[in-house]
Amino acid sequence: MYIINSNLRFRGLTFGNNPRMIILHHAESSRCSIEDVHSWHLNKGWSGCGYHYFVRKNGSIYKGRPDNAIGAHCLSYNSVSIGICTEGRFNVETMGASQYNSLKELISYIKNKYNISKIYGHRELNSTDCPGKNFPLSKIKNESLGGSNSGKRKKISSAGYPGYLLKYNANRFDSNVKTIQRKLKQIGYSVGRCGADGYFGDGTLLAVRCFQRDCNLMIDGIIGKNTWKRIMRE
Ligand SMILES: [Zn+2]
């Protein structure tokens, strides 16, 4: 696979992206280059091309913003995802083989690089029709994830939320804290050297704050219903 360096000049990117999912988009334009996308996004007052990659109809793959830069492509998920945009308007067009194959190859590369097991279409996360009704979303998910996690995003229930706020309190054991610590560790956040011990100490506080920052939640270090649901969904 060859990724073309687009040499785009960005204005003031923010770094610290922590990719845990791939989000797919279309450009909603039948014919456009990454330079077009870059200038559209600059004109919106953004840092430049909001996506990390761009795949053209002929199968060429272009680099957008660096992987470790926070994206501008999917509200609430920009700091925990890699955004890939495809040239085309897939509400009216269908994707050809060259583009499909390159997209699949790119997904496989990113998936392995970051150990990602989740792929979403933009419309599954935000209220939009992107990447278009003809976009081969289920097909590419099935082929890229081998059938696992390929369905629609699971409906998240708040079941399991203990009904009270979990807060910093290093002196009290709480099995709900232990549940959250285990989950945080599983998704890549260190909860300190004691590990998942059921005590909400400094390590856990830092992990919760980092998680909240990465997910654009309010950074208060407290696990209420929203933070609980987001952690358990990951
Ligand atoms: Zn989109």
Side-chain angles (χ1 to χ4, degrees):
M1 184 185 56
Y2 183 64
I3 298 172
I4 300 165
N5 179 356
S6 320
N7 286 315
L8 304 176
R9 296 176 65 140
F10 289 91
R11 282 193 308 231
L13 290 168
T14 307
F15 293 89
N17 187 31
N18 178 13
R20 292 207 301 273
M21 60 182 81
I22 294 167
I23 304 177
L24 304 174
H25 303 265
H26 69 161
E28 226 180 331
S29 163
S30 288
R31 189 181 165 80
C32 59
S33 65
I34 191 154
E35 288 79 14
D36 294 328
V37 175
H38 188 59
S39 66
W40 297 336
H41 289 182
L42 281 170
N43 288 338
K44 288 187 182 195
W46 299 355
S47 305
C49 175
Y51 311 106
H52 298 96
Y53 296 90
F54 184 69
V55 182
R56 289 206 69 166
K57 289 183 173 174
N58 66 9
S60 356
I61 302 172
Y62 293 81
K63 190 74 194 94
R65 56 179 70 190
D67 287 8
N68 63 341
I70 292 173
H73 58 91
C74 185
L75 196 66
S76 299
Y77 296 87
N78 284 317
S79 52
V80 289
S81 61
I82 293 288
I84 303 177
C85 184
T86 50
E87 179 188 18
R89 288 173 68 205
F90 297 110
N91 274 321
V92 291
E93 298 172 316
T94 51
M95 189 178 284
S98 309
Q99 191 176 24
Y100 183 82
N101 291 336
S102 290
L103 177 62
K104 205 171 117 182
E105 217 180 333
L106 176 62
I107 288 175
S108 153
Y109 160 77
I110 297 167
K111 207 176 138 266
N112 293 333
K113 186 167 180 185
Y114 298 107
N115 197 20
I116 286 175
S117 60
K118 284 181 236 164
I119 301 170
Y120 295 116
H122 186 190
R123 64 168 174 260
E124 294 177 280
L125 302 171
N126 289 166
S127 140
T128 169
D129 61 6
C130 174
K133 63 176 165 34
N134 300 334
F135 190 95
L137 190 57
S138 321
K139 183 173 186 228
I140 206 148
K141 280 192 195 184
N142 277 322
E143 292 181 2
S144 304
L145 300 170
S148 67
N149 286 321
S150 54
K152 281 202 164 11
R153 187 157 62 110
K154 275 193 239 101
K155 176 92 182 95
I156 308 309
S157 79
S158 55
Y161 175 62
Y164 61 93
L165 302 176
L166 304 182
K167 295 182 190 177
Y168 181 84
N169 181 346
N171 297 318
R172 199 185 73 203
F173 173 84
D174 184 332
S175 62
N176 290 312
V177 169
K178 194 167 175 173
T179 302
I180 284 293
Q181 288 171 324
R182 281 198 181 131
K183 192 71 190 173
L184 282 169
K185 281 180 66 179
Q186 196 188 320
I187 56 183
Y189 295 88
S190 164
V191 295
R193 62 190 164 82
C194 299
D197 59 359
Y199 292 89
F200 199 138
D202 295 301
T204 304
L205 183 62
L206 184 62
V208 172
R209 293 178 66 95
C210 289
F211 179 84
Q212 288 173 328
R213 182 203 61 201
D214 291 344
C215 294
N216 285 341
L217 294 163
M218 187 168 68
I219 306 171
D220 58 6
I222 295 172
I223 300 167
K225 200 170 185 173
N226 288 338
T227 302
W228 176 279
K229 281 163 73 176
R230 278 299 283 272
I231 293 174
M232 298 313 279
R233 175 166 87 195
E234 293 297 332

